[in-house]
């Protein structure tokens, strides 16, 4: 189904997708993440108090999550609608920066996820045995990380530490820990809460449910990915349009 077909199936008029907005927001996320990481890797951690370090750590976690969400939008072709090359380029850059993740492999898995959500065919779903949060999370992560990627990240870490002389504290606080916390954040708000089987079983074909938090909290937690039923029903809406899609369900 094409983007126009997806949008025309919407029960009300969907706001026009601006190609400029998609590219601007994607580049903004990448730019802010890059600038923030560089500055934090150069800062003297010994001069920061615990609160400052914690604040910077969670800020970087939020930006790491933004990288993945940007790559996710690229997979759906909404970073620059109609230009698959730019979408795939920005998606590849975002996932490489996020954790040396292979874009093409994740692209295939994500489309399988949308075709068979919350099923044994879904690569993001549990295997029927690992249903609790922690077991499902580790099962989920095994499907996206392999030893080659981990080895690559270890090499980058050691080059940054021993060649570029970036202190381990900076690398750990502002690169390693935020990236790990981001994976937990993405899984919890984008997969576990939204796709776990509700009491009484699934009641709609997308097997997804919306976590309708206040707008500001929805953005902070996972870039509005709590509006997950809307995302699965209209996957060609970018993340910042999902709250509007949710509101339209109850105003028309």
């Amino acid at each position: 189904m094409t983007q126009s077909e997806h949008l025309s199936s919407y029960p009300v008029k969907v706001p026009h997708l601006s190609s400029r907005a998609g590219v601007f927001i994607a580049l903004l996320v990448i730019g802010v993440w890059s600038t923030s990481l560089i500055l934090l890797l150069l800062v003297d951690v010994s001069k920061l108090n615990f609160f400052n370090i914690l604040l910077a750590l969670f800020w970087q976690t939020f930006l790491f999550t933004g990288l993945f969400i940007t790559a996710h939008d690229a997979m759906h072709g909404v970073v620059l609608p109609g230009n698959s090359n730019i979408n795939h380029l920005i998606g590849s850059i975002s996932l490489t920066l996020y954790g040396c993740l292979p874009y093409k492999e994740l692209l295939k898995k994500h489309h399988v996820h949308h075709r068979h959500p919350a099923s044994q065919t879904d690569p993001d779903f549990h295997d029927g045995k690992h249903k609790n949060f922690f077991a499902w999370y580790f099962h989920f992560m095994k499907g996206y990380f392999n030893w080659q990627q981990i080895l690559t990240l270890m090499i980058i870490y050691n080059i940054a530490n021993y060649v570029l002389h970036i202190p381990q504290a900076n690398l750990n606080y502002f690169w390693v820990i935020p990236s790990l916390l981001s994976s937990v954040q993405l899984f919890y708000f984008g997969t576990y809460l939204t796709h776990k089987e509700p009491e009484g079983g699934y009641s709609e074909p997308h097997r997804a449910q919306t976590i309708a938090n206040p707008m500001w909290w929805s953005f902070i937690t996972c870039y509005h990915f709590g509006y997950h039923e809307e995302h699965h029903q209209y996957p060609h809406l970018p993340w910042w349009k999902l709250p509007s899609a949710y509101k339209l369900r109850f105003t028309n």
Side-chain angles (χ1 to χ4, degrees):
M1 185 179 288
T2 65
Q3 179 185 5
S4 59
E5 289 171 329
H6 273 290
L7 299 182
S8 63
S9 67
Y10 206 83
V12 294
K13 184 178 180 182
V14 176
H16 176 66
L17 293 182
S18 169
S19 59
R20 292 183 179 180
V23 172
F24 174 78
I25 291 174
L27 295 179
L28 179 64
V29 170
I30 294 173
V32 173
W33 176 88
S34 302
T35 303
S36 179
L37 180 62
I38 292 172
L39 293 175
L40 288 172
L41 290 180
L42 297 177
V43 74
D44 186 350
V45 175
S46 65
K47 295 182 179 180
L48 300 178
N49 60 40
F50 175 78
F51 177 78
N52 292 143
I53 293 175
L54 194 64
L55 186 63
L57 188 152
F58 282 115
W59 166 248
Q60 280 301 107
T61 300
F62 175 74
L63 294 178
F64 263 103
T65 299
L67 280 181
F68 194 93
I69 296 298
T70 297
H72 169 269
D73 270 11
M75 293 177 189
H76 286 289
V78 298
V79 170
L80 183 58
N83 192 321
S84 61
N85 290 332
I86 295 298
N87 278 288
H88 295 332
L89 175 61
I90 291 180
S92 297
I93 291 172
S94 298
L95 287 185
T96 298
L97 295 174
Y98 182 83
C100 297
L101 292 171
Y103 176 78
K104 289 183 178 180
E105 181 179 333
L106 265 69
L107 177 64
K108 292 178 181 179
K109 288 183 177 181
H110 191 65
H111 285 310
V112 173
H113 164 71
H114 272 266
R115 287 195 296 269
H116 308 284
S119 70
Q120 293 305 305
T121 312
D122 181 0
D124 293 349
F125 201 54
H126 59 71
D127 58 1
K129 300 178 181 178
H130 302 88
K131 294 182 179 181
N132 69 71
F133 172 80
F134 293 103
W136 187 354
Y137 169 74
F138 287 113
H139 175 75
F140 174 86
M141 291 299 291
K142 285 194 301 183
Y144 286 92
F145 277 94
N146 56 47
W147 286 110
Q148 182 179 358
Q149 293 160 243
I150 295 173
L151 180 60
T152 300
L153 291 170
M154 290 174 63
I155 291 172
I156 294 172
Y157 181 98
N158 282 282
I159 289 175
N161 182 216
Y162 292 107
V163 178
L164 301 179
H165 305 294
I166 298 174
Q168 288 188 357
N170 294 62
L171 290 167
N172 293 336
Y173 288 141
F174 309 131
W175 184 47
V176 178
I177 296 176
S179 67
L180 293 174
L181 289 179
S182 172
S183 71
V184 175
Q185 180 181 10
L186 285 160
F187 172 75
Y188 182 71
F189 291 102
T191 297
Y192 179 73
L193 287 182
T194 56
H195 283 295
K196 69 175 182 177
E197 186 173 0
E199 293 184 11
Y202 298 103
S203 60
E204 52 88 32
H206 301 291
R207 296 190 165 201
Q209 53 189 324
T210 283
I211 311 301
N213 290 317
M215 185 81 68
W216 65 273
W217 185 241
S218 171
F219 173 57
I220 291 173
T221 53
C222 204
Y223 292 75
H224 301 312
F225 241 49
Y227 297 106
H228 216 70
E229 184 178 348
E230 289 72 25
H231 168 61
H232 272 263
Q233 190 169 6
Y234 311 106
H236 287 80
L237 288 178
W239 63 263
W240 67 90
K241 300 266 188 199
L242 293 176
S244 297
Y246 173 77
K247 290 180 180 178
L248 289 174
R249 288 173 54 194
F250 301 100
T251 58
N252 292 273

